[in-house]
Amino acid sequence: MMRCRQSGSRPQVTARGFSLVELAVSLVLGLIIIGGAASVYLASKQSMTEVEQVGAISENGRFALQLLKSSVRHIGFYGGSNPADIREDGSLAAVGGTDCTNEAAAYDTVNSFFAVRATGTPGTSVSVLGCITDALANTDVLVIKGVAPSPLYDANPDDPNAPRDGTISFPSGAWSDEETYVIANSERGILLDGADTPPSVAVGGEFALGVAWPYRMQIYYIRNAATPTLSRKILAWDGAAMSVQTQDLVQGVENVRFLFGFDSTNDGSVDTLGNLTEVGVPSADNWDQVMSLQVFLLIRSDVADPNYTDEKTYSLGDLTITPGDNMRRILLYSDIAMRNPGLNLRGGA
């Protein structure tokens, strides 16, 4: 507050500052405003962190389900041939490196679909199927074999006038020396190296009107890493031979559970839902009757959030998990109908 006092011709100005009470009130009001702004900022930052983490794990989960759906829908597909009617070519080279064992062996087409449990101490790595040494304990492992839906023909099947000589040559240049193929018709098939000469598919021969399909072996599992990862073992060229190799697919997938819908009464419809143990018990091996698959994926964030505690209980079919840590998670589920049920598929122990 200023006051003017007349003294001759020049006014005099006197000034008075804030009192202690006014200063205290101003400081309190300032602290309230700053505190409110800080609270809004921290809440916004926390919300942004949550949105980013949930968005990332949702995207990862959808991609993981898409991969599994694509593979499961082609279980048991060998281009029209029954997997039990496919024989190995006499010149088929052995799998390089470490092959999987028993029913999981890369070239065992009879056992084209089954699952096992990587049982062990929680949080540790488990060896399973002879070719996996780093499976996360107490997660499911799914074995899938079949052919890719990328057929190769003698000639363009859409052109009835195209010359046919019994040699797989269409599309031109598609045949690869670094692949394994199944050449099959409706009666039989043969598994062979792309580097070898394929048999004739001319009319009158053993593989008359046969079609060549790239062979695929995939074993899905959770790899025990710093961040658990959905991975798979595949059969692929390593520069010298076909070998079983590891592909990391989606980080953050920390558990997977499979339930199987199968026809236990052989009436052509699903009447039982069970886990892999219930499907594959020795006295009632029902893998050849499985017609659908339920997939439960539990996906977590890459980093912990100290301001968050996951106290939820997640139900993965017949399995429940309560983490109690600082990771955000989502649970995804999908029910997948198999397109090729009942093709002499079998389970492994």
Side-chain angles (χ1 to χ4, degrees), residues 232-243:
R232 66 182 173 187
K233 293 290 185 179
I234 62 167
L235 186 68
W237 184 256
D238 66 5
M242 298 297 292
S243 64

Side-chain angles (χ1 to χ4, degrees), residues 71-342:
S71 297
V72 168
R73 285 171 177 164
H74 291 94
I75 285 174
F77 176 61
Y78 285 93
S81 177
N82 189 303
D85 295 330
I86 298 172
R87 62 176 172 83
E88 294 184 14
D89 178 57
S91 300
L92 182 66
V95 174
T98 302
D99 192 4
C100 303
T101 55
N102 301 324
E103 295 94 340
Y107 291 147
D108 182 351
T109 59
V110 175
N111 299 285
S112 296
F113 166 58
F114 63 91
V116 297
R117 183 78 170 163
T119 305
T121 303
T124 64
S125 294
V126 176
S127 295
V128 63
L129 301 177
C131 55
I132 299 174
T133 60
D134 54 358
L136 182 62
N138 303 322
T139 59
D140 288 354
V141 179
L142 186 68
V143 178
I144 298 173
K145 301 171 192 171
V147 296
S150 306
L152 284 69
Y153 302 91
D154 176 3
N156 186 350
D158 297 324
D159 182 1
N161 299 316
R164 289 167 169 76
D165 60 2
T167 302
I168 299 294
S169 57
F170 181 86
S172 178
W175 185 275
S176 172
D177 291 350
E178 300 176 0
E179 283 273 16
T180 300
Y181 292 94
V182 171
I183 295 182
N185 55 25
S186 60
E187 297 180 354
R188 61 184 60 85
I190 186 170
L191 186 70
L192 74 159
D193 291 319
D196 295 333
T197 301
S200 173
V201 294
V203 174
E206 180 183 9
F207 301 101
L209 304 178
V211 177
W213 307 82
Y215 177 70
R216 296 289 182 264
M217 184 272 285
Q218 304 172 85
I219 303 178
Y220 287 91
Y221 73 105
I222 306 299
R223 189 170 69 83
N224 188 23
T227 300
T229 301
L230 176 66
S231 303
R232 66 182 173 187
K233 293 290 185 179
I234 62 167
L235 186 68
W237 184 256
D238 66 5
M242 298 297 292
S243 64
V244 177
Q245 303 174 28
T246 303
Q247 279 187 338
D248 286 337
L249 302 173
V250 181
Q251 283 191 327
V253 181
E254 68 176 0
N255 212 316
V256 59
R257 186 67 167 170
F258 300 109
L259 295 181
F260 305 89
F262 59 97
D263 174 17
S264 62
T265 58
N266 295 314
D267 63 356
S269 61
V270 173
D271 51 49
T272 305
L273 182 67
N275 58 34
L276 60 92
T277 301
E278 294 165 331
V279 179
V281 293
S283 60
D285 191 354
N286 296 305
W287 291 99
D288 59 338
Q289 301 299 328
V290 173
M291 304 177 71
S292 66
L293 175 66
Q294 292 184 359
V295 181
F296 299 85
L297 288 177
L298 186 61
I299 305 104
R300 78 174 201 198
S301 55
D302 291 339
V303 295
D305 183 349
N307 298 312
Y308 172 80
T309 300
D310 188 357
E311 298 176 342
K312 301 176 184 176
T313 295
Y314 300 91
S315 178
L316 284 70
D318 61 341
L319 177 70
T320 58
I321 297 175
T322 305
D325 58 15
N326 303 116
M327 299 286 187
R328 282 192 173 80
R329 290 172 175 82
I330 62 169
L331 176 63
L332 296 181
Y333 159 82
S334 183
D335 196 338
I336 309 171
M338 293 170 54
R339 296 175 176 174
N340 308 285

